Amino acid sequence: IPLDANSIIIQEDPNYTNGFCDVNGVITNTTTTGYTGYGYCIVYIAAGNGVDWSISVPSDSTYTFKWRYSLTSGTRTPRLLVNDSEVVSSISFPATGAYSNWSYVSEPVDLLTGTNNIRLESTGNGIPYIDFIIISGDNPSPASCP
């Protein structure tokens, strides 16, 4: 994935470093193909389960979050939290037709200067497989996890 100077990509990381903090589920590379990096996150289907990242930004600004995901059927509508506060109540992740078909969903998000803890969280119907997140804006960087 070519990125410009104002974008970072955070892959799932079984060592929980480089901005990848947690998944209420598993990091795997055994149930589908076409992923990048080590593998992808499978979040256990239950309200409140999700994936966590941590980033640092140098200014109050709008950033774009872009997830690479796959989902065989249906639509998943997780919510987005920043620093434990809901900033988007529902983000639509439509089906990609097969878990081996990967697509993207983007969302603009206002962030405050400093470290921001990001959580994509199920509202009950789960989250698609997540391959990575790209954050674009004013020089974001991976941060240590809380």
Side-chain angles (χ1 to χ4, degrees), residues 1-3 5 14 18-19 27 36 49 61 65-66 92 95 108 115 130 134 143:
I1 302 274
L3 297 176
N18 299 315
I27 299 170
T36 63
N49 284 345
S61 186
F65 293 2
K66 185 175 184 178
S92 180
T115 299
I130 300 292
I134 296 172

Side-chain angles (χ1 to χ4, degrees), residues 1-140:
I1 302 274
L3 297 176
D4 65 34
N6 286 313
S7 296
I8 59 169
I9 187 168
I10 301 177
Q11 295 275 1
E12 70 295 322
D13 182 351
N15 297 313
Y16 299 97
T17 59
N18 299 315
F20 180 84
C21 297
D22 198 12
V23 58
N24 301 123
V26 296
I27 299 170
T28 188
N29 55 17
T30 61
T31 61
T32 193
T33 60
Y35 57 86
T36 63
Y38 171 83
Y40 47 92
C41 295
I42 299 176
V43 175
Y44 298 136
I45 297 177
N49 284 345
V51 183
D52 298 289
W53 301 271
S54 188
I55 62 168
S56 181
V57 298
S59 64
D60 294 2
S61 186
T62 300
Y63 292 79
T64 300
F65 293 2
K66 185 175 184 178
W67 292 273
R68 185 172 191 256
Y69 77 98
S70 70
L71 178 64
T72 297
S73 62
T75 298
R76 300 292 184 264
T77 55
R79 67 185 191 143
L80 182 65
L81 295 94
V82 175
N83 299 323
D84 298 320
S85 294
E86 182 179 272
V87 296
V88 182
S89 62
S90 178
I91 301 171
S92 180
F93 286 81
T96 61
Y99 281 119
S100 59
N101 295 339
W102 296 88
S103 189
Y104 293 91
V105 164
S106 295
E107 187 71 34
V109 181
D110 293 330
L111 297 178
L112 299 176
T113 302
T115 299
N116 290 267
N117 299 309
I118 311 303
R119 181 169 177 82
L120 188 64
E121 183 178 87
S122 173
T123 57
N125 67 346
I127 294 176
Y129 291 3
I130 300 292
D131 188 25
F132 58 71
I133 185 173
I134 296 172
I135 299 139
S136 301
D138 181 20
N139 294 302

